[in-house]
Every structure is written in C-alpha cells, then in structure tokens.
Amino acid sequence: MRAMSDPHLIFDRRLVRLRRERAAGTQHAVAPVLEAAAERLLDRLDDTTRRFERALEIGGRGLVAPRLRERGIASVASMDLSPRQAASAGGLAVAGDEEWLPFAAGSFDLVVASLSLHWVNDLPGALAQIRRAMAPDGLFLASLPALGTLQNLREALTGAEASLRAGASPRVSPFPELRDGAGLLQRAGFALPVADVEDISLAYRNPLALLRDLQAAGETSALRARDNRIPPRDLFPAALASLPPGTDGTPATLRLLTLTGWSPGPDQPRPARRGSADTRLADALGTKEQGTGEAPG
C-alpha cells in the first residue's frame, strides 16, 4: 500500500471508510436520492437481453443488491469499504477496498458500482481491477458524480472563505468530466465503452439542510488537502447566504456520470479493418462530397 505522503493520493481512504460506516445509520435521510440514482443506473441493465448469473455490486448501500435479485440474478455479492454498508445488502457481504479488489480473475459476469468510485484515488487502476475480475463478455455499470455536481456550493464556500481568510481550502471533491468517461473505460481495457451524464435536480427550503444531507450520506469532504483548522464561525452562514435562490428553494444538482463497458469477449462486434470499406461516406449519407480547396500534394 502506498504511503500517505504519496502526492497522488487525493482522498483519505480511512476517513472515507469511517464516514460510510457512520452513514449506514443515517443515510435513510437521503434515501430518495440514493434510490433514484440506483434506479437510473439499473435502467441500463434492463436495456440488454444478456442474462447474468454472478454479480458484484460495489457501494450500493443496501439498495442495489435487492434490485439485482429482483431481476433474477441469484448470486449477488456486495462489497463496500464499510463492513456495515456491505452487510446491509443481505446475502454475501465483503468488506473490501475498490483499490485492492479481493476477487479472482473472471469471478463475475456483471459488476455494478453505484455512487462509490468517486472516492477512489486511482480510478484507472480500480477500473482495470474490476475488468480483470469479470468473465468474458461481462457488463460493467457505474455511476459517479460528474463535474457540475454541487457547483453552486463549491463556489459559495470558496468565495466566503476567501473573504474571511487569506485564501481558501478545497471543501468539495474534484469530479471527472463527461469527456473523461469513455477514455477511462478504454484505458482499463473495456470494450464498447459508453459514457453519458444526466442531472438529478434538488431544491432545499433551508440551505443548511443540504449540508445535513451530505453529512447523513457520508459525503462530506475527505480530501487529504482539506484544512483541518476550525473554520471561521461565519464561513458556512456566509456561504449558504450567498447560494442563489430558486423558485422552489435553494437548488442543488447531482450530475451523474454513467459508465457502461463490456469485458472483451469473442462474440462482440469489432470495428472493420481500416481501409476495408467499399462505399464512400458521402454516398451513404446522400450528400455531395466537396474538396477543401487545397491543391493535391
């Protein structure tokens, strides 16, 4: 395991585990949001006719495993950094780390990770380990917060702290962008990679409730670069007061990045050999091909 002094370590994984462990008793306060995220992710599973027999769900908070069993998958293992979270799913529970998967190659034909991989330090490495644990032609589904999530809160906290102190410390995690998604899957060796985003829009009558929900879900900052000093007394009141109001209250956005990929298999579609086409693209589209205006050579 890498030392905590490693500059590539962004998150304090011990703190992530402790917060997820504590959240096992409080996350019922945000159950509608967690359930909506799980359902949207598993909708992708319903789009395929492939039948799965051995599934691994990662970080599902007791919500994903039952839904997989309802879809006819009898063998479902649940893994989480927190033992309480893993056990809450029922069935086979594994307290494990996404950065050090404890499974043999080819163990599963389906892996689902709902809102958990955003706390991983080495996401490309974690995805590569997940692919290794999958059988050929297995399906991988994951959702994680994307850039744009809690953007208003990030800007409000940064602005308020900058006005109260000489500078501001990061208080909201960095999130990946949509353009990163398919590239991460390809880098990990997945075939047919697809990435897309969709928003879950929330509104709070009391902006302080947003912070309470984040705490209840165990989603408060676990950045190693966080400022461990006691924050100024006026920081959070000033930040929350600066949040832009909406028609139904203080808006907050959970932007979900959904990743879909397949472990390589012999029967999957493959791109044709380069130069093997026998029809011009212009003919297929029914358009007239035009030159660039440059002389040949």
Side-chain angles (χ1 to χ4, degrees):
M1 184 174 293
R2 291 174 292 176
M4 285 295 288
S5 59
D6 189 332
H8 296 98
L9 296 177
I10 302 172
F11 304 110
D12 183 341
R13 294 286 289 172
R14 175 182 173 277
L15 184 58
V16 172
R17 177 179 59 79
L18 291 174
R19 287 184 173 163
R20 289 186 71 87
E21 187 81 355
R22 184 166 56 244
T26 59
Q27 64 194 23
H28 60 274
V30 292
V33 179
L34 299 174
E35 290 169 356
E39 287 290 355
R40 293 187 186 202
L41 181 60
L42 293 179
D43 281 346
R44 313 301 176 93
L45 182 60
D46 298 335
D47 291 337
T48 178
T49 58
R50 171 86 152 81
R51 290 294 167 257
F52 304 99
E53 299 178 354
R54 299 165 294 150
L56 169 67
E57 64 96 356
I58 302 173
R61 299 174 181 261
L63 300 173
V64 172
R67 287 166 167 80
L68 291 176
R69 296 188 189 101
E70 289 170 1
R71 287 166 167 80
I73 303 174
S75 177
V76 181
S78 299
M79 193 194 85
D80 199 284
L81 200 58
S82 155
R84 287 183 68 192
Q85 293 280 10
S88 69
L92 177 61
V94 179
D97 192 332
E98 298 96 334
E99 297 184 349
W100 308 92
L101 285 188
F103 303 109
S107 297
F108 307 99
D109 54 16
L110 173 66
V111 176
V112 179
S114 179
L115 293 180
S116 64
L117 296 178
H118 57 293
W119 291 119
V120 171
N121 283 302
D122 180 11
L123 184 53
L127 292 177
Q129 290 188 59
I130 289 172
R131 188 194 58 76
R132 180 181 177 276
M134 296 176 65
D137 202 31
L139 177 61
F140 171 63
L141 294 172
S143 65
L144 59 160
L147 186 66
T149 295
L150 300 178
Q151 187 63 31
N152 288 343
L153 180 62
R154 183 196 305 273
E155 294 172 355
L157 287 170
T158 300
E161 189 166 13
S163 67
L164 296 170
R165 284 178 170 170
S169 61
R171 297 186 181 273
V172 177
S173 294
F175 298 123
E177 298 183 61
L178 170 61
R179 65 184 181 185
D180 299 327
L184 286 167
L185 291 170
Q186 286 181 318
R187 180 176 173 182
F190 284 99
L192 310 175
V194 177
D196 60 82
V197 294
E198 60 178 324
D199 291 347
I200 295 180
S201 298
L202 308 171
Y204 290 87
R205 293 181 180 177
N206 177 3
L208 185 60
L210 169 58
L211 300 184
R212 293 189 181 124
D213 275 4
L214 290 172
Q215 185 175 36
E219 293 292 331
T220 50
S221 177
L223 292 167
R224 294 182 61 239
R226 67 190 182 279
D227 192 338
N228 289 318
R229 295 176 295 172
I230 297 175
R233 178 176 298 179
D234 295 333
L235 173 60
F236 291 105
L240 295 178
S242 69
L243 288 173
T247 56
D248 297 321
T250 301
T253 299
L254 170 57
R255 179 159 294 168
L256 288 177
L257 171 62
T258 301
L259 305 178
T260 305
W262 294 83
S263 56
D267 299 324
Q268 290 172 349
R270 285 174 168 75
R273 179 176 54 83
R274 185 174 183 179
S276 61
D278 55 12
T279 303
R280 297 190 312 158
L281 179 60
D283 295 338
L285 297 177
T287 61
K288 184 177 180 180
E289 187 174 14
Q290 295 182 350
T292 63
E294 297 180 0

